Amino acid sequence: MGKVITSAWRKESWRDFPIKQHPVYVNKSDIESVERELSSFPPLVFSKEADSLKDKLAKASCGQSFLLQGGDCAESFSQFSADAIRDMFKIILQMSVILTFASSRPIIKVGRLAGQFAKPRSSDTEIINGISYPSYRGDLINSQELDKRNPDPLRLLKGYHQSASTLNLLRAFSQGGFANLERVHNWNLGFVANNNFGKRYEELASQIEKSLRFMKACGIDVDNTRQLKEVSFYTSHEALVLNYEEALTRQDSISGDWYDCSAHFLWIGERTRDIDHAHIEFLRGVKNPIGVKIGPNASKDDILRICDILNPSNEKGRLTLIVRMGSDKIEDKFPSLLRDICNDGRNIVWSCDPMHGNTKVASSGYKTRSFTDIVNEIKSFFAIHKAQGSIASGIHLEMTGADVTECLGGVQDISESILHKSYHTQCDPRLNATQALELSFMLAEILEQS
Ligand code: PEP
Ligand code: CO
Protein backbone atom coordinates (compact mmCIF):
# COMPACT_ATOMS: atom_id res chain seq x y z
CA MET A 1 0.00 0.00 0.00
CA GLY A 2 1.12 3.54 -0.70
CA LYS A 3 2.16 6.40 1.48
CA VAL A 4 -0.25 7.14 4.29
CA ILE A 5 -0.83 10.69 5.50
CA THR A 6 0.71 11.12 8.91
CA SER A 7 -0.30 14.68 9.81
CA ALA A 8 -2.78 14.83 12.67
CA TRP A 9 -6.44 15.03 11.74
CA ARG A 10 -8.71 17.47 13.54
CA LYS A 11 -12.28 18.23 12.59
CA GLU A 12 -11.10 21.63 11.44
CA SER A 13 -7.84 20.50 9.74
CA TRP A 14 -9.55 20.69 6.30
CA ARG A 15 -9.23 24.46 6.62
CA ASP A 16 -5.48 24.20 5.93
CA PHE A 17 -6.03 22.56 2.53
CA PRO A 18 -7.01 23.89 -0.89
CA ILE A 19 -10.73 23.60 -1.47
CA LYS A 20 -12.98 23.51 -4.55
CA GLN A 21 -16.68 24.21 -5.03
CA HIS A 22 -16.96 25.76 -1.59
CA PRO A 23 -19.01 28.83 -0.68
CA VAL A 24 -17.06 31.90 0.34
CA TYR A 25 -18.83 33.61 3.24
CA VAL A 26 -17.87 37.24 3.12
CA ASN A 27 -18.93 38.14 6.62
CA LYS A 28 -16.71 36.06 8.93
CA SER A 29 -18.61 36.79 12.13
CA ASP A 30 -21.93 35.68 10.59
CA ILE A 31 -20.61 32.29 9.51
CA GLU A 32 -18.77 31.81 12.81
CA SER A 33 -21.91 32.48 14.79
CA VAL A 34 -23.85 29.96 12.64
CA GLU A 35 -21.10 27.39 13.16
CA ARG A 36 -21.26 27.91 16.92
CA GLU A 37 -25.01 27.46 16.88
CA LEU A 38 -24.85 24.31 14.76
CA SER A 39 -22.15 22.89 17.01
CA SER A 40 -24.46 23.29 19.99
CA PHE A 41 -27.36 21.44 18.28
CA PRO A 42 -27.99 17.73 18.81
CA PRO A 43 -26.43 15.35 16.28
CA LEU A 44 -28.85 14.08 13.61
CA VAL A 45 -27.62 10.49 13.71
CA PHE A 46 -25.99 8.32 16.32
CA SER A 47 -22.50 6.87 15.82
CA LYS A 48 -23.65 3.29 16.36
CA GLU A 49 -26.12 3.64 13.49
CA ALA A 50 -23.26 4.61 11.19
CA ASP A 51 -21.32 1.57 12.44
CA SER A 52 -24.25 -0.70 11.71
CA LEU A 53 -24.50 0.67 8.17
CA LYS A 54 -20.78 0.06 7.73
CA ASP A 55 -21.22 -3.58 8.81
CA LYS A 56 -24.01 -3.99 6.28
CA LEU A 57 -21.92 -2.43 3.53
CA ALA A 58 -19.12 -4.86 4.40
CA LYS A 59 -21.60 -7.63 3.60
CA ALA A 60 -22.54 -5.90 0.34
CA SER A 61 -18.87 -5.89 -0.67
CA CYS A 62 -18.92 -9.69 -0.34
CA GLY A 63 -22.18 -10.10 -2.28
CA GLN A 64 -24.29 -10.96 0.77
CA SER A 65 -26.47 -7.87 0.49
CA PHE A 66 -27.02 -5.03 -1.98
CA LEU A 67 -26.95 -1.26 -1.58
CA LEU A 68 -29.87 0.79 -2.88
CA GLN A 69 -29.02 4.49 -2.53
CA GLY A 70 -31.33 7.05 -4.05
CA GLY A 71 -33.23 10.27 -3.79
CA ASP A 72 -33.33 13.79 -5.12
CA CYS A 73 -30.38 15.35 -6.88
CA ALA A 74 -30.95 18.27 -4.53
CA GLU A 75 -33.56 18.64 -1.83
CA SER A 76 -35.27 21.97 -1.74
CA PHE A 77 -36.59 24.29 0.93
CA SER A 78 -39.66 25.26 -1.09
CA GLN A 79 -40.70 21.72 -2.10
CA PHE A 80 -40.39 20.41 1.46
CA SER A 81 -43.51 18.44 2.42
CA ALA A 82 -44.60 15.34 4.30
CA ASP A 83 -46.16 13.94 1.12
CA ALA A 84 -42.93 14.23 -0.84
CA ILE A 85 -40.99 12.45 1.93
CA ARG A 86 -43.69 9.75 2.17
CA ASP A 87 -43.69 9.17 -1.59
CA MET A 88 -39.90 8.96 -1.74
CA PHE A 89 -39.98 6.47 1.13
CA LYS A 90 -42.69 4.43 -0.62
CA ILE A 91 -40.78 4.14 -3.88
CA ILE A 92 -37.62 3.10 -2.02
CA LEU A 93 -39.61 0.43 -0.15
CA GLN A 94 -41.14 -0.82 -3.40
CA MET A 95 -37.78 -0.99 -5.14
CA SER A 96 -36.26 -2.78 -2.23
CA VAL A 97 -39.07 -5.37 -2.15
CA ILE A 98 -38.59 -6.03 -5.88
CA LEU A 99 -34.84 -6.42 -5.44
CA THR A 100 -35.04 -8.54 -2.29
CA PHE A 101 -37.56 -10.91 -3.85
CA ALA A 102 -35.43 -11.49 -6.93
CA SER A 103 -31.98 -11.55 -5.38
CA SER A 104 -32.80 -13.21 -2.03
CA ARG A 105 -30.40 -10.70 -0.50
CA PRO A 106 -31.11 -8.01 2.08
CA ILE A 107 -31.28 -4.58 0.47
CA ILE A 108 -29.54 -1.76 2.33
CA LYS A 109 -31.76 1.30 2.01
CA VAL A 110 -29.92 4.62 1.96
CA GLY A 111 -31.75 7.82 0.99
CA ARG A 112 -30.13 10.78 -0.68
CA LEU A 113 -32.11 12.93 1.69
CA ALA A 114 -32.30 14.70 5.06
CA GLY A 115 -29.24 16.78 4.13
CA GLN A 116 -28.73 16.57 0.34
CA PHE A 117 -28.86 20.31 -0.24
CA ALA A 118 -25.50 21.42 -1.65
CA LYS A 119 -24.41 21.13 -5.27
CA PRO A 120 -21.07 21.29 -7.03
CA ARG A 121 -21.45 23.10 -10.36
CA SER A 122 -19.49 22.88 -13.61
CA SER A 123 -19.33 26.64 -13.86
CA ASP A 124 -19.08 29.36 -11.18
CA THR A 125 -21.41 31.61 -13.14
CA GLU A 126 -24.38 31.27 -15.43
CA ILE A 127 -25.63 33.65 -18.08
CA ILE A 128 -29.32 34.48 -17.91
CA ASN A 129 -30.79 36.91 -20.46
CA GLY A 130 -27.29 38.04 -21.29
CA ILE A 131 -26.35 38.80 -17.66
CA SER A 132 -23.83 36.76 -15.67
CA TYR A 133 -24.88 35.57 -12.19
CA PRO A 134 -23.15 33.35 -9.61
CA SER A 135 -24.39 29.78 -10.17
CA TYR A 136 -27.10 28.33 -7.95
CA ARG A 137 -25.34 25.89 -5.58
CA GLY A 138 -28.21 24.29 -3.73
CA ASP A 139 -30.52 25.59 -1.03
CA LEU A 140 -27.91 25.07 1.69
CA ILE A 141 -25.78 27.76 0.03
CA ASN A 142 -27.79 30.25 -2.02
CA SER A 143 -31.16 30.79 -3.68
CA GLN A 144 -32.33 30.08 -7.21
CA GLU A 145 -33.64 33.65 -7.23
CA LEU A 146 -31.24 35.76 -9.22
CA ASP A 147 -30.93 38.55 -6.67
CA LYS A 148 -30.11 36.08 -3.84
CA ARG A 149 -27.15 34.24 -5.25
CA ASN A 150 -24.61 35.22 -2.56
CA PRO A 151 -23.90 32.42 -0.05
CA ASP A 152 -26.02 32.98 3.05
CA PRO A 153 -24.84 31.22 6.25
CA LEU A 154 -28.35 31.25 7.76
CA ARG A 155 -29.26 28.65 5.15
CA LEU A 156 -27.07 26.15 7.02
CA LEU A 157 -29.41 26.45 10.02
CA LYS A 158 -32.47 26.02 7.84
CA GLY A 159 -30.87 22.96 6.22
CA TYR A 160 -30.22 21.46 9.66
CA HIS A 161 -33.82 21.95 10.79
CA GLN A 162 -35.29 20.58 7.57
CA SER A 163 -32.98 17.57 7.81
CA ALA A 164 -34.04 16.99 11.43
CA SER A 165 -37.74 16.98 10.61
CA THR A 166 -37.25 14.85 7.48
CA LEU A 167 -35.32 12.33 9.53
CA ASN A 168 -37.96 12.40 12.24
CA LEU A 169 -40.66 11.41 9.77
CA LEU A 170 -38.47 8.76 8.15
CA ARG A 171 -37.77 7.21 11.54
CA ALA A 172 -41.51 7.19 12.29
CA PHE A 173 -42.28 5.55 8.94
CA SER A 174 -39.49 2.98 9.35
CA GLN A 175 -40.51 1.88 12.80
CA GLY A 176 -44.09 2.95 13.36
CA GLY A 177 -45.95 0.47 11.14
CA PHE A 178 -45.81 2.13 7.71
CA ALA A 179 -43.01 -0.18 6.54
CA ASN A 180 -44.75 -3.32 7.84
CA LEU A 181 -44.51 -5.89 5.03
CA GLU A 182 -48.20 -6.63 5.49
CA ARG A 183 -48.80 -3.17 3.97
CA VAL A 184 -46.84 -4.03 0.83
CA HIS A 185 -49.86 -3.22 -1.41
CA ASN A 186 -50.26 0.25 0.10
CA TRP A 187 -46.85 1.41 -1.07
CA ASN A 188 -47.90 1.50 -4.71
CA LEU A 189 -48.39 5.12 -5.75
CA GLY A 190 -51.76 6.02 -7.26
CA PHE A 191 -50.50 7.25 -10.62
CA VAL A 192 -48.29 4.15 -11.08
CA ALA A 193 -50.86 1.50 -10.15
CA ASN A 194 -52.40 1.27 -13.62
CA ASN A 195 -49.33 1.04 -15.78
CA ASN A 196 -47.42 -2.18 -16.65
CA PHE A 197 -44.90 -1.83 -13.88
CA GLY A 198 -47.44 -0.78 -11.26
CA LYS A 199 -49.38 -3.92 -12.17
CA ARG A 200 -46.27 -6.08 -12.02
CA TYR A 201 -45.62 -4.67 -8.58
CA GLU A 202 -49.20 -5.52 -7.52
CA GLU A 203 -48.64 -9.13 -8.59
CA LEU A 204 -45.45 -9.31 -6.59
CA ALA A 205 -47.16 -7.73 -3.57
CA SER A 206 -49.92 -10.37 -3.80
CA GLN A 207 -47.31 -13.14 -3.83
CA ILE A 208 -45.67 -11.64 -0.74
CA GLU A 209 -49.02 -11.34 1.00
CA LYS A 210 -49.75 -14.96 0.22
CA SER A 211 -46.35 -16.02 1.59
CA LEU A 212 -47.03 -14.10 4.81
CA ARG A 213 -50.41 -15.85 5.18
CA PHE A 214 -48.66 -19.16 4.57
CA MET A 215 -46.07 -18.39 7.24
CA LYS A 216 -48.83 -17.44 9.71
CA ALA A 217 -50.66 -20.68 8.93
CA CYS A 218 -47.47 -22.58 9.70
CA GLY A 219 -47.43 -21.00 13.16
CA ILE A 220 -44.73 -18.37 12.55
CA ASP A 221 -45.45 -15.27 14.64
CA VAL A 222 -45.51 -12.82 11.71
CA ASP A 223 -47.15 -10.08 13.79
CA ASN A 224 -44.29 -10.01 16.26
CA THR A 225 -41.34 -10.48 13.94
CA ARG A 226 -39.50 -7.18 13.94
CA GLN A 227 -37.78 -7.82 10.57
CA LEU A 228 -41.19 -7.99 8.89
CA LYS A 229 -42.65 -4.94 10.63
CA GLU A 230 -39.80 -2.44 10.50
CA VAL A 231 -36.97 -1.45 8.21
CA SER A 232 -33.58 0.11 8.78
CA PHE A 233 -33.35 3.28 6.75
CA TYR A 234 -30.20 5.35 6.47
CA THR A 235 -29.50 8.87 5.22
CA SER A 236 -26.70 10.23 3.05
CA HIS A 237 -25.57 13.33 1.22
CA GLU A 238 -22.57 14.84 -0.49
CA ALA A 239 -20.27 16.31 2.17
CA LEU A 240 -19.70 19.54 0.28
CA VAL A 241 -20.09 22.44 2.71
CA LEU A 242 -17.48 21.60 5.29
CA ASN A 243 -18.45 24.37 7.73
CA TYR A 244 -21.73 22.47 8.14
CA GLU A 245 -20.15 19.01 8.29
CA GLU A 246 -17.50 20.12 10.81
CA ALA A 247 -20.11 21.63 13.10
CA LEU A 248 -22.02 18.34 13.18
CA THR A 249 -18.92 16.23 13.72
CA ARG A 250 -18.90 14.79 17.21
CA GLN A 251 -16.66 12.56 19.31
CA ASP A 252 -18.11 9.27 20.45
CA SER A 253 -17.83 9.31 24.22
CA ILE A 254 -16.99 5.63 24.51
CA SER A 255 -14.58 4.96 21.66
CA GLY A 256 -13.20 8.50 21.34
CA ASP A 257 -13.72 8.23 17.56
CA TRP A 258 -15.12 11.10 15.49
CA TYR A 259 -18.30 10.79 13.44
CA ASP A 260 -19.92 13.22 11.07
CA CYS A 261 -23.38 13.09 12.63
CA SER A 262 -25.15 15.04 9.84
CA ALA A 263 -25.93 11.70 8.13
CA HIS A 264 -25.04 8.03 8.31
CA PHE A 265 -23.14 8.02 5.01
CA LEU A 266 -21.29 10.90 3.33
CA TRP A 267 -19.72 11.03 -0.06
CA ILE A 268 -17.23 13.17 -1.94
CA GLY A 269 -18.23 14.29 -5.42
CA GLU A 270 -16.37 13.83 -8.68
CA ARG A 271 -15.26 17.48 -8.66
CA THR A 272 -13.92 17.61 -5.11
CA ARG A 273 -12.02 14.35 -4.75
CA ASP A 274 -8.54 15.81 -5.36
CA ILE A 275 -5.88 14.25 -3.19
CA ASP A 276 -4.41 16.76 -0.71
CA HIS A 277 -7.57 18.86 -0.88
CA ALA A 278 -9.98 19.74 1.90
CA HIS A 279 -12.82 17.29 1.22
CA ILE A 280 -10.59 14.23 1.31
CA GLU A 281 -8.82 15.59 4.39
CA PHE A 282 -12.11 16.09 6.21
CA LEU A 283 -13.64 12.69 5.52
CA ARG A 284 -10.48 10.75 6.28
CA GLY A 285 -10.91 11.51 9.97
CA VAL A 286 -14.53 10.48 10.52
CA LYS A 287 -15.52 6.88 11.09
CA ASN A 288 -18.74 6.86 9.06
CA PRO A 289 -18.95 4.71 5.97
CA ILE A 290 -18.07 7.02 3.10
CA GLY A 291 -18.21 7.14 -0.68
CA VAL A 292 -16.25 8.76 -3.49
CA LYS A 293 -17.59 9.38 -6.98
CA ILE A 294 -15.41 8.03 -9.75
CA GLY A 295 -15.73 9.51 -13.24
CA PRO A 296 -14.17 8.50 -16.55
CA ASN A 297 -10.99 10.51 -15.99
CA ALA A 298 -10.00 8.83 -12.73
CA SER A 299 -6.67 7.05 -12.92
CA LYS A 300 -5.54 3.92 -11.12
CA ASP A 301 -3.08 6.00 -9.08
CA ASP A 302 -5.80 8.49 -8.07
CA ILE A 303 -7.98 5.70 -6.77
CA LEU A 304 -5.23 3.85 -4.96
CA ARG A 305 -4.20 7.09 -3.21
CA ILE A 306 -7.82 7.73 -2.28
CA CYS A 307 -7.99 4.24 -0.80
CA ASP A 308 -4.74 4.78 1.11
CA ILE A 309 -5.96 8.01 2.62
CA LEU A 310 -9.60 7.22 3.28
CA ASN A 311 -9.25 3.57 4.17
CA PRO A 312 -5.67 2.96 5.32
CA SER A 313 -6.59 -0.24 7.16
CA ASN A 314 -8.56 -1.59 4.17
CA GLU A 315 -11.61 -2.02 6.39
CA LYS A 316 -14.56 -3.70 4.65
CA GLY A 317 -17.61 -1.46 4.28
CA ARG A 318 -15.71 1.76 4.95
CA LEU A 319 -15.27 2.87 1.34
CA THR A 320 -17.82 2.81 -1.45
CA LEU A 321 -16.62 3.80 -4.90
CA ILE A 322 -19.57 5.19 -6.82
CA VAL A 323 -18.73 4.71 -10.49
CA ARG A 324 -20.33 7.30 -12.84
CA MET A 325 -18.63 7.04 -16.18
CA GLY A 326 -21.47 7.32 -18.69
CA SER A 327 -22.87 4.57 -20.89
CA ASP A 328 -20.55 5.60 -23.73
CA LYS A 329 -17.35 5.51 -21.65
CA ILE A 330 -17.74 2.77 -19.05
CA GLU A 331 -16.80 -0.11 -21.38
CA ASP A 332 -13.62 1.67 -22.34
CA LYS A 333 -12.51 3.06 -18.98
CA PHE A 334 -13.77 0.83 -16.20
CA PRO A 335 -12.45 -2.71 -16.92
CA SER A 336 -8.73 -1.93 -16.54
CA LEU A 337 -9.35 0.30 -13.52
CA LEU A 338 -11.39 -2.40 -11.81
CA ARG A 339 -8.74 -5.02 -12.58
CA ASP A 340 -5.97 -2.86 -11.10
CA ILE A 341 -7.87 -2.04 -7.91
CA CYS A 342 -8.92 -5.67 -7.43
CA ASN A 343 -5.38 -6.92 -8.07
CA ASP A 344 -4.20 -4.55 -5.35
CA GLY A 345 -6.46 -6.35 -2.88
CA ARG A 346 -8.61 -3.34 -1.96
CA ASN A 347 -11.90 -3.91 -0.18
CA ILE A 348 -14.39 -1.76 -2.02
CA VAL A 349 -18.16 -1.50 -2.08
CA TRP A 350 -18.60 -1.02 -5.84
CA SER A 351 -21.72 0.97 -6.60
CA CYS A 352 -23.03 2.13 -9.97
CA ASP A 353 -24.31 5.68 -10.48
CA PRO A 354 -25.78 5.50 -13.98
CA MET A 355 -27.08 9.08 -13.77
CA HIS A 356 -24.20 11.56 -13.68
CA GLY A 357 -22.29 10.38 -16.74
CA ASN A 358 -25.44 10.42 -18.85
CA THR A 359 -26.69 13.99 -18.52
CA LYS A 360 -27.40 15.87 -21.76
CA VAL A 361 -29.31 18.94 -22.85
CA ALA A 362 -32.49 18.44 -24.89
CA SER A 363 -33.13 20.69 -27.88
CA SER A 364 -35.71 22.49 -25.73
CA GLY A 365 -32.92 23.41 -23.30
CA TYR A 366 -33.94 21.02 -20.50
CA LYS A 367 -31.21 19.01 -18.82
CA THR A 368 -32.22 15.39 -19.22
CA ARG A 369 -31.07 11.75 -19.29
CA SER A 370 -32.27 8.86 -21.36
CA PHE A 371 -33.64 5.79 -19.63
CA THR A 372 -31.87 3.65 -22.25
CA ASP A 373 -28.45 5.16 -21.43
CA ILE A 374 -29.10 4.62 -17.72
CA VAL A 375 -30.04 0.98 -18.23
CA ASN A 376 -27.10 0.41 -20.57
CA GLU A 377 -24.62 1.76 -18.05
CA ILE A 378 -26.01 -0.53 -15.36
CA LYS A 379 -25.79 -3.55 -17.67
CA SER A 380 -22.19 -2.71 -18.57
CA PHE A 381 -21.29 -2.23 -14.91
CA PHE A 382 -22.55 -5.69 -14.01
CA ALA A 383 -21.01 -7.33 -17.09
CA ILE A 384 -17.60 -5.78 -16.37
CA HIS A 385 -17.74 -7.05 -12.79
CA LYS A 386 -18.72 -10.50 -13.98
CA ALA A 387 -15.79 -10.62 -16.41
CA GLN A 388 -13.42 -9.50 -13.64
CA GLY A 389 -14.88 -11.93 -11.06
CA SER A 390 -15.60 -9.03 -8.67
CA ILE A 391 -18.81 -7.98 -7.00
CA ALA A 392 -21.20 -5.24 -8.09
CA SER A 393 -22.52 -4.22 -4.70
CA GLY A 394 -24.92 -1.35 -5.21
CA ILE A 395 -26.74 1.26 -7.19
CA HIS A 396 -26.93 5.05 -6.72
CA LEU A 397 -29.88 6.82 -8.33
CA GLU A 398 -31.48 10.23 -8.64
CA MET A 399 -35.19 9.61 -8.47
CA THR A 400 -38.43 10.78 -6.93
CA GLY A 401 -41.75 9.35 -5.84
CA ALA A 402 -43.49 11.98 -7.97
CA ASP A 403 -44.80 11.69 -11.52
CA VAL A 404 -42.27 14.04 -13.08
CA THR A 405 -41.12 14.25 -16.71
CA GLU A 406 -37.40 14.83 -16.35
CA CYS A 407 -35.75 11.73 -17.88
CA LEU A 408 -36.54 10.53 -21.40
CA GLY A 409 -37.99 7.13 -22.32
CA GLY A 410 -39.18 4.25 -20.21
CA VAL A 411 -42.57 2.62 -20.58
CA GLN A 412 -44.28 6.04 -20.66
CA ASP A 413 -42.01 6.87 -23.60
CA ILE A 414 -41.29 10.39 -22.35
CA SER A 415 -40.10 12.44 -25.30
CA GLU A 416 -38.23 15.74 -25.47
CA SER A 417 -41.42 17.53 -26.39
CA ILE A 418 -43.11 16.67 -23.07
CA LEU A 419 -40.23 17.30 -20.68
CA HIS A 420 -41.73 20.68 -19.78
CA LYS A 421 -44.99 19.11 -18.52
CA SER A 422 -43.76 18.21 -15.07
CA TYR A 423 -40.14 19.28 -14.73
CA HIS A 424 -39.49 20.23 -11.09
CA THR A 425 -35.96 19.21 -10.15
CA GLN A 426 -33.76 21.75 -8.37
CA CYS A 427 -30.77 20.51 -10.31
CA ASP A 428 -30.37 17.22 -12.23
CA PRO A 429 -33.19 15.21 -13.89
CA ARG A 430 -34.59 12.37 -11.78
CA LEU A 431 -36.25 9.09 -12.66
CA ASN A 432 -39.96 9.30 -11.93
CA ALA A 433 -41.67 6.62 -9.85
CA THR A 434 -42.66 4.54 -12.91
CA GLN A 435 -39.15 4.68 -14.36
CA ALA A 436 -37.73 3.76 -10.95
CA LEU A 437 -39.97 0.67 -10.81
CA GLU A 438 -39.15 -0.29 -14.38
CA LEU A 439 -35.45 0.01 -13.61
CA SER A 440 -35.88 -2.10 -10.47
CA PHE A 441 -37.50 -4.96 -12.37
CA MET A 442 -34.63 -4.85 -14.88
CA LEU A 443 -32.05 -4.78 -12.08
CA ALA A 444 -33.86 -7.60 -10.28
CA GLU A 445 -33.34 -9.82 -13.34
CA ILE A 446 -29.63 -9.05 -13.37
CA LEU A 447 -29.30 -9.70 -9.63
CA GLU A 448 -31.22 -12.96 -9.96
CA GLN A 449 -28.66 -14.17 -12.45
CA SER A 450 -25.57 -12.98 -10.59
C1 PEP B 1 -24.48 14.30 -7.53
O1 PEP B 1 -24.43 13.15 -7.05
O2 PEP B 1 -25.51 14.99 -7.50
C2 PEP B 1 -23.29 14.83 -8.24
C3 PEP B 1 -23.11 16.12 -8.42
O3 PEP B 1 -22.51 13.86 -8.68
P1 PEP B 1 -21.03 13.88 -9.27
O4 PEP B 1 -20.14 14.38 -8.19
O5 PEP B 1 -20.81 12.41 -9.58
O6 PEP B 1 -21.03 14.72 -10.49
CO1 CO C 1 -27.06 15.19 -9.45
Side-chain angles (χ1 to χ4, degrees):
M1 310 231 160
K3 183 173 148 270
V4 174
I5 289 193
T6 46
S7 61
W9 180 90
R10 289 164 293 117
K11 65 186 167 63
E12 62 279 10
S13 53
W14 62 271
R15 294 176 188 262
D16 300 333
F17 290 74
I19 192 160
K20 286 186 178 162
Q21 299 282 344
H22 209 254
V24 177
Y25 294 105
V26 203
N27 188 324
K28 291 279 163 274
S29 70
D30 285 356
I31 178 68
E32 282 167 14
S33 113
V34 165
E35 285 170 359
R36 271 194 304 278
E37 200 165 345
L38 279 174
S39 305
S40 73
F41 287 165
L44 293 173
V45 305
F46 172 48
S47 57
K48 290 290 166 282
E49 296 177 308
D51 288 345
S52 94
L53 174 58
K54 204 194 287 177
D55 292 345
K56 290 179 184 172
L57 290 169
K59 294 207 167 91
S61 72
C62 307
Q64 293 160 10
S65 62
F66 189 78
L67 165 66
L68 169 63
Q69 185 172 19
D72 287 320
C73 176
E75 289 171 278
S76 110
F77 291 169
S78 63
Q79 293 174 37
F80 178 44
S81 77
D83 287 1
I85 300 168
R86 180 203 57 207
D87 291 349
M88 183 71 84
F89 189 68
K90 277 186 173 180
I91 188 75
I92 293 177
L93 288 179
Q94 286 187 283
M95 294 172 79
S96 112
V97 159
I98 295 167
L99 298 177
T100 312
F101 202 80
S103 70
S104 308
R105 279 179 247 178
I107 303 299
I108 309 164
K109 294 168 270 302
V110 181
R112 274 178 71 113
L113 79 180
Q116 176 50 22
F117 290 109
K119 300 311 300 170
R121 300 313 300 263
S122 346
S123 168
D124 282 343
T125 52
E126 58 182 314
I127 310 280
I128 296 171
N129 298 331
I131 304 175
S132 169
Y133 296 91
S135 294
Y136 168 64
R137 292 186 171 272
D139 280 1
L140 197 64
I141 299 177
N142 60 2
S143 166
Q144 271 179 324
E145 286 174 53
L146 297 177
D147 58 348
K148 294 188 188 140
R149 287 286 171 95
N150 289 332
D152 175 358
L154 291 178
R155 289 178 164 268
L156 302 180
L157 297 176
K158 190 156 180 182
Y160 170 89
H161 290 298
Q162 184 166 321
S163 300
S165 43
T166 303
L167 197 49
N168 182 50
L169 192 57
L170 290 168
R171 289 189 193 278
F173 284 155
S174 305
Q175 279 139 36
F178 190 95
N180 188 331
L181 203 51
E182 289 191 287
R183 287 177 49 97
V184 63
H185 275 291
N186 298 347
W187 303 335
N188 220 0
L189 293 149
F191 57 86
V192 174
N194 288 326
N195 68 38
N196 289 0
F197 291 96
K199 287 192 184 131
R200 241 177 111 176
Y201 176 79
E202 284 298 327
E203 284 164 24
L204 177 63
S206 298
Q207 268 180 281
I208 292 173
E209 217 170 52
K210 208 166 161 190
S211 312
L212 288 173
R213 284 203 299 272
F214 173 76
M215 282 157 69
K216 269 190 189 169
C218 293
I220 294 171
D221 190 359
V222 167
D223 295 330
N224 290 308
T225 305
R226 199 178 51 79
Q227 289 88 335
L228 300 174
K229 294 174 62 179
E230 295 176 8
V231 292
S232 298
F233 190 88
Y234 299 96
T235 59
S236 69
H237 61 258
E238 178 172 348
L240 187 71
V241 184
L242 297 183
N243 311 74
Y244 180 81
E245 304 303 335
E246 179 193 321
L248 287 164
T249 295
R250 309 293 161 83
Q251 192 168 27
D252 182 70
S253 57
I254 298 172
S255 65
D257 288 332
W258 292 90
Y259 287 82
D260 182 345
C261 296
S262 69
H264 301 105
F265 179 102
L266 289 313
W267 76 86
I268 303 181
E270 165 72 355
R271 297 165 186 81
T272 50
R273 60 170 168 74
D274 304 57
I275 312 292
D276 300 328
H277 275 55
H279 290 90
I280 294 264
E281 169 62 16
F282 176 72
L283 277 194
R284 90 178 162 96
V286 297
K287 288 283 174 185
N288 307 56
I290 56 176
V292 179
K293 294 285 197 93
I294 299 295
N297 298 327
S299 71
K300 166 192 170 191
D301 289 345
D302 286 344
I303 300 182
L304 290 177
R305 285 288 289 139
I306 285 173
C307 295
D308 287 340
I309 298 169
L310 295 181
N311 193 13
S313 58
N314 206 19
E315 182 189 6
K316 282 191 180 154
R318 156 74 171 167
L319 183 60
T320 300
L321 293 183
I322 307 165
V323 179
R324 35 85 83 219
M325 305 226 161
S327 63
D328 55 340
K329 298 210 174 73
I330 187 166
E331 297 275 354
D332 180 32
K333 303 280 181 181
F334 189 43
S336 58
L337 217 51
L338 179 64
R339 187 194 55 230
D340 290 342
I341 309 303
C342 289
N343 286 347
D344 216 82
R346 304 299 174 136
N347 291 317
I348 304 289
V349 182
W350 289 105
S351 179
C352 172
D353 167 357
M355 313 301 291
H356 288 90
N358 292 315
T359 315
K360 54 190 183 187
V361 182
S363 49
S364 50
Y366 283 100
K367 227 193 209 193
T368 188
R369 291 161 172 156
S370 118
F371 189 75
T372 311
D373 290 344
I374 292 169
V375 165
N376 285 343
E377 181 158 357
I378 297 174
K379 286 186 175 159
S380 298
F381 182 79
F382 274 85
I384 293 165
H385 273 287
K386 194 165 188 182
Q388 171 60 35
S390 53
I391 290 164
S393 316
I395 186 106
H396 183 116
L397 299 170
E398 286 184 345
M399 60 194 211
T400 163
D403 195 17
V404 299
T405 52
E406 296 171 6
C407 290
L408 302 168
V411 69
Q412 297 154 299
D413 204 15
I414 294 175
S415 63
E416 290 206 2
S417 62
I418 63 159
L419 286 177
H420 68 277
K421 286 207 168 144
S422 185
Y423 195 98
H424 300 298
T425 183
Q426 291 289 108
C427 194
D428 288 340
R430 304 159 294 176
L431 297 170
N432 66 26
T434 303
Q435 289 168 327
L437 280 194
E438 182 170 357
L439 187 138
S440 304
F441 279 111
M442 183 283 299
L443 184 58
E445 274 169 35
I446 299 182
L447 285 176
E448 207 167 2
Q449 287 154 20
S450 64

Coordinates of all heavy atoms in Angstrom, one line a residue, residues 73 112 119 356 369 398 428, ligand 2:
C73 N -31.7 14.8 -6.6 CA -30.4 15.3 -6.9 C -30.1 16.4 -5.8 O -29.0 16.4 -5.2 CB -30.3 16.0 -8.3 SG -28.7 16.8 -8.6
R112 N -30.8 9.5 -0.4 CA -30.1 10.8 -0.7 C -31.1 11.8 -0.1 O -31.7 12.5 -0.9 CB -30.0 11.0 -2.2 CG -28.8 10.4 -2.9 CD -28.9 10.8 -4.4 NE -28.6 12.1 -4.7 CZ -27.6 12.6 -5.4 NH1 -26.6 11.8 -5.8 NH2 -27.4 13.9 -5.6
K119 N -24.8 21.6 -3.9 CA -24.4 21.1 -5.3 C -23.1 21.7 -5.8 O -22.9 22.9 -5.8 CB -25.5 21.5 -6.3 CG -26.9 21.0 -6.0 CD -26.9 19.5 -5.7 CE -26.4 18.6 -6.8 NZ -26.3 17.2 -6.3
H356 N -25.0 10.3 -13.5 CA -24.2 11.6 -13.7 C -23.3 11.6 -14.9 O -22.8 12.6 -15.3 CB -23.5 11.9 -12.4 CG -24.4 12.4 -11.3 ND1 -25.0 11.6 -10.5 CD2 -24.9 13.7 -11.1 CE1 -25.8 12.3 -9.7 NE2 -25.8 13.6 -10.1
R369 N -31.8 13.0 -19.2 CA -31.1 11.8 -19.3 C -32.0 10.7 -19.9 O -33.2 10.8 -19.7 CB -30.7 11.2 -17.9 CG -29.7 12.1 -17.2 CD -29.7 11.8 -15.7 NE -28.6 12.5 -15.1 CZ -28.5 12.9 -13.8 NH1 -29.5 12.6 -13.0 NH2 -27.5 13.5 -13.3
E398 N -30.7 9.0 -8.9 CA -31.5 10.2 -8.6 C -32.9 9.9 -9.1 O -33.1 9.6 -10.3 CB -30.9 11.4 -9.4 CG -29.6 11.8 -8.7 CD -28.9 13.1 -9.2 OE1 -29.2 13.5 -10.4 OE2 -28.0 13.6 -8.5
D428 N -30.4 18.2 -11.2 CA -30.4 17.2 -12.2 C -31.7 16.5 -12.4 O -32.5 16.4 -11.4 CB -29.3 16.2 -11.9 CG -27.9 16.7 -12.0 OD1 -27.7 17.7 -12.7 OD2 -27.0 16.1 -11.4
Ligands
CO2 CO -27.1 15.2 -9.5

